Every structure is written in structure tokens, then in C-alpha cells.
Amino acid sequence: MQFDEQEIMKAFRIYVELAKSGRAEAEQTKLYENDDRIRGLVDRFAEESDCAVIAAGEQLMLIPLARLSPFHMNNDTLKRNYLKAGALNADLYLLYVAVIVWIGAFYDSYQTAEPIRSFLSVDEWLNLMRDKMEGIKERGEEQLEQDSIDYGYRWSEIVKRWDAIDDIREGAKRQSGQTNSRLSFLDSVRRFLLHQELALEVGVNELGLNEKTKIVVQRYFMETEYNRGILEFLYGYADRAEEEEQSHAGDF
């Protein structure tokens, strides 16, 4: 397909704006959505950077799809900007898991294409994290070592890091296991979600999905190509446990 100079420059200006700020505003969004040729060019520019362009409301956004993308935020930057001083890789992976668990709460364990709830409180999020960590520990050390190889996440280290986050250094421990330091950690994840425009602050300590996140989930989040089977790992054990419980129920 041949493009004239004017089309190329219009598309390139949109891509430059996306590359500079991560988004393009209403006028450029309208041009992108209404002109198939311009949209095709912008998408091709984005693909060369291992990115995708999504339209959310009246904005275009540039989403990195691979670690090699020049727009991908590296681990050191994430730790420096969103976690406490001296944060380890295990802290960062725990942040990733917390984000996945948060999103999963809206999508019925990833079995639905549309959200089934409007918000999640931090306290409920904390309970979900505790349940997931306990479920992972039940797999046993040997299985977790194999899972670490299969999924590229050091699950044993992640679980140990979660267990280490308690109130021994910070104050009194709650009987429920909901400790101040765990809440502090989730508050760091909350700030990450808000700063990256992945969440909306619905109420006090209540977060909801925004349009950007809904689109990313629908297009990419549930695809094994992008999630590397992490979702199956996090939620598969729950499904198996439920199946086993139902099968044993017939024994009585």
C-alpha cells in the first residue's frame, strides 16, 4: 500500500506524541479512529517499538508489549519509584502478583470478558492476597521450584517475602494476619496503579478499573502469549481444589 507524504507526516506526528507522553489527545484520536490509512501507519510505527496503540475514551495510549520495547519500564525504575529503599526483585514480583490479584477480583478469576464489580477495597484486596499466598504455599517447596522454572517467577522467594512482611518491625500484629506493613505494601501498589493510570480512586481505600485497563485486559491480559501462564498458575490451584472438593462430596 502506497502512502503520500501528508499521510505519513500526520501518522508520524501522532506516533511522536504517543512516544513522548504515552498518549495523544482528542483531535489526534479522532483522526486515528476515522482514517483507516492513518491508523494503519500509526499501528505499524508502534509495532516497530514492540508496542500497541489503544483508544480509551477520547485518548490514544501507547502500551509496551515486550520487555525489549524502548518504552518498557525496567525493574530498577519501578523499584526506585514505587517501592521502599532497598527493595529486592522479590518485592517487585510481589507487586506484579498484587496487581494480577487486584485485576482478577474484577473478572471472576478471569472467566468473564467484562468486570463483575465496580470497585475493590484495600482490605478485601489484602484478604485475597493472603488467600493466594496460602494457596501457593500449599503446593510445596519442590513443586514451587519447578513452577519457578516453568513460569519464570521465583515463587518460593515471593511467598517468603510476603511472609516476611509483618508487624515485628512496625507495631502490633492483627489476629487476622492483616498487618500494617502489608497494608503499607498494598498502598505502594495502589499508588503505582494510580500513577500508571490503571485504576480509579472510587472512594476511601477503594479502587476501580478505568477504560484503559479494561481494554488492556480484553486484548492482552488473558492471552498466554503475554501472561506466560501466570494466571493459570495463580487460579488453577483454586479450580483444582474446588473440583476435588466436589468429587469427594459424593463419597458421603
Side-chain angles (χ1 to χ4, degrees):
M1 183 183 295
Q2 298 295 317
F3 297 92
D4 61 41
E5 183 179 354
Q6 188 176 24
E7 288 175 323
I8 294 172
M9 290 308 300
K10 285 180 179 179
F12 186 66
R13 290 190 189 101
I14 294 174
Y15 174 72
V16 168
E17 185 62 31
L18 288 168
K20 182 173 64 175
S21 63
R23 63 172 57 82
E25 300 303 330
E27 184 176 343
Q28 291 176 317
T29 301
K30 185 176 180 180
L31 178 59
Y32 174 88
E33 292 183 327
N34 293 339
D35 192 316
D36 292 343
R37 292 168 63 85
I38 298 295
R39 182 169 61 254
L41 275 171
V42 175
D43 289 346
R44 284 174 62 181
F45 292 150
E47 287 171 7
E48 289 298 315
S49 301
D50 291 317
C51 293
V53 178
I54 64 171
E58 295 186 349
Q59 284 189 337
L60 291 181
M61 296 185 178
L62 191 68
I63 307 296
L65 297 179
R67 294 184 64 180
L68 295 179
S69 169
F71 302 103
H72 176 78
M73 191 179 300
N74 64 42
N75 288 355
D76 288 338
T77 300
L78 282 167
K79 286 189 286 188
R80 183 171 61 251
N81 291 342
Y82 299 108
L83 297 172
K84 293 181 178 179
L88 307 173
N89 283 341
D91 294 291
L92 188 57
Y93 288 129
L94 190 57
L95 179 147
Y96 294 154
V97 171
V99 171
I100 292 171
V101 170
W102 179 76
I103 293 176
F106 289 89
Y107 285 92
D108 192 23
S109 298
Y110 307 95
Q111 298 302 309
T112 55
E114 295 294 331
I116 60 171
R117 65 193 305 164
S118 57
F119 69 89
L120 183 72
S121 70
V122 172
D123 283 341
E124 188 173 358
W125 186 10
L126 185 59
N127 287 332
L128 290 172
M129 280 292 294
R130 181 193 62 204
D131 291 344
K132 295 301 178 187
M133 292 297 106
E134 289 300 319
I136 291 171
K137 283 193 290 186
E138 289 174 2
R139 298 173 73 91
E141 193 69 28
E142 184 176 342
Q143 182 60 51
L144 286 180
E145 287 299 322
Q146 183 59 49
D147 292 333
S148 297
I149 296 172
D150 293 341
Y151 298 102
Y153 272 49
R154 298 294 301 172
W155 289 107
S156 295
E157 294 178 15
I158 292 170
V159 170
K160 289 175 183 176
R161 194 60 181 160
W162 174 257
D163 286 344
I165 302 177
D166 57 27
D167 261 352
I168 293 175
R169 297 182 305 276
E170 296 183 354
K173 187 174 183 179
R174 300 182 188 177
Q175 294 299 316
S176 64
Q178 297 179 4
T179 67
N180 289 334
S181 50
R182 285 177 179 171
L183 285 172
S184 177
F185 172 77
L186 286 188
D187 187 64
S188 297
V189 184
R190 180 189 67 83
R191 288 187 285 105
F192 165 77
L193 290 168
L194 291 172
H195 189 261
Q196 292 297 313
E197 298 182 331
L198 297 169
L200 295 171
E201 205 154 25
V202 177
V204 178
N205 291 324
E206 294 174 344
L207 294 178
L209 297 175
N210 59 18
E211 288 303 312
K212 172 184 176 181
T213 304
K214 291 177 185 177
I215 293 170
V216 170
V217 169
Q218 290 170 357
R219 291 190 185 180
Y220 306 107
F221 203 73
M222 299 182 188
E223 296 295 328
T224 304
E225 177 185 355
Y226 299 107
N227 64 46
R228 295 188 298 172
I230 300 300
L231 307 187
E232 180 183 352
F233 173 84
L234 279 175
Y235 288 92
Y237 76 83
D239 294 338
R240 288 191 295 273
E242 185 176 347
E243 289 174 3
E244 290 177 4
E245 184 177 339
Q246 290 175 351
S247 65
H248 291 315
D251 298 336
F252 295 95

